[in-house]
Amino acid sequence: MSARRGGVADQVLASLSGSFPEIDWPLRGAYNLERMIVHGRRRAAEMREVALTVEALGLPADMVHACVEWQERIGQTGADPGEDVLETRLDAVLKTL
């Protein structure tokens, strides 16, 4: 989303493709974003439980808490995931943030 908003999404996707050419990054990104839109709230609830587990083990759960916040935020956007096109999904979510 930062790359899309910053106008450098094509460059970032090209860099990812150069590092991992076996992955279709626009397709993978579209899929992952759709999963966050549709299931973000449930995922956030699950990750809250993970944070409790990590903290009970005496470890910091900073990354888990950040994941909770992001999943929750994307899940609450109410964005229409629409068709399986990364740019369309990014734009739909960016309008709501």
Side-chain angles (χ1 to χ4, degrees), residues 12 17 20 24 33 38-39 46 56-58 60 68 71 74 77 85 92:
V12 170
S17 293
F20 302 97
D24 182 335
L33 188 51
V38 173
H39 299 290
E46 292 168 351
L57 294 169
V68 166
Q71 290 286 338
I74 300 303
T77 64
V85 176

Side-chain angles (χ1 to χ4, degrees), residues 2-11:
S2 297
R4 179 74 172 165
R5 182 157 285 167
V8 295
D10 290 341
Q11 294 89 330

Side-chain angles (χ1 to χ4, degrees), residues 7-56:
V8 295
D10 290 341
Q11 294 89 330
V12 170
L13 290 168
S15 177
L16 287 168
S17 293
S19 298
F20 302 97
E22 67 280 3
I23 299 173
D24 182 335
W25 286 100
L27 185 62
R28 171 56 59 182
Y31 173 79
N32 288 345
L33 188 51
E34 187 269 343
R35 301 283 77 197
M36 284 187 269
I37 293 167
V38 173
H39 299 290
R41 291 179 184 177
R42 177 186 52 80
R43 286 177 166 186
E46 292 168 351
M47 292 306 294
R48 282 186 189 92
E49 295 299 318
V50 171
L52 292 173
T53 300
V54 169
E55 290 165 343

